[in-house]
Amino acid sequence: MTGIADDPFAAAVRPLVDAMGGEMLPPGLAGADDVVLSWEGEDVVAVRLPQLAESLDHILAALERKRGVPLAELDRKAKQEVVRILEARGAFSVRHGVETVASALGVSRFTVYNYLNREKGV
């Protein structure tokens, strides 16, 4: 079998794994919590998913890269949009999610809760 770097299936799923903050490994190195992906009956690649807290950090970093400036430098409207995106992705179900997001945005937890409540029409 070719290495995962040379496999076309592994190359096809790499953008998804990278977007999740996961790690690709040879199937033989898969642990109990890893996901082994198969193609045409052959195990091709194992995917090690990040812990939820690591995922949130990865999502925040991706949002920052996409906007080209630190999230703390965004205006209020842009920060509200970031909170909407994060809520849709489940960021606030992670332990200390509100605190992590507040820190990244350079606002208080109270402000993040206000942004969340505004979206819910409270």
Side-chain angles (χ1 to χ4, degrees):
M1 178 180 144
T2 63
I4 61 173
D6 300 325
D7 189 273
F9 177 76
V13 298
R14 180 169 294 285
L16 177 62
V17 173
D18 289 346
M20 295 183 315
E23 178 184 359
M24 296 175 67
L25 309 164
L29 299 179
D33 292 332
D34 297 333
V35 178
V36 177
L37 302 177
S38 300
W39 182 254
E40 296 181 347
E42 183 179 341
D43 291 346
V44 177
V45 63
V47 177
R48 182 159 297 154
L49 299 172
Q51 298 298 314
L52 286 175
E54 294 170 12
S55 257
L56 179 53
D57 290 338
H58 185 79
I59 292 167
L60 288 166
L63 287 169
E64 197 166 87
R65 279 191 308 276
K66 184 176 181 180
R67 284 166 172 71
V69 297
L71 297 177
E73 293 180 13
L74 298 173
D75 63 24
R76 184 176 53 90
K77 185 175 181 179
K79 288 179 182 182
Q80 290 171 335
E81 175 65 20
V82 166
V83 168
R84 277 195 295 277
I85 291 166
L86 292 170
E87 182 177 31
R89 295 190 68 182
F92 301 110
S93 63
V94 176
R95 186 171 184 212
H96 303 297
V98 171
E99 292 85 351
T100 301
V101 170
S103 177
L105 293 176
V107 300
S108 69
R109 290 182 311 129
F110 180 75
T111 298
V112 172
Y113 284 119
N114 279 341
Y115 292 168
L116 288 167
N117 289 336
R118 175 168 296 156
E119 285 306 303
K120 295 175 183 166
V122 176

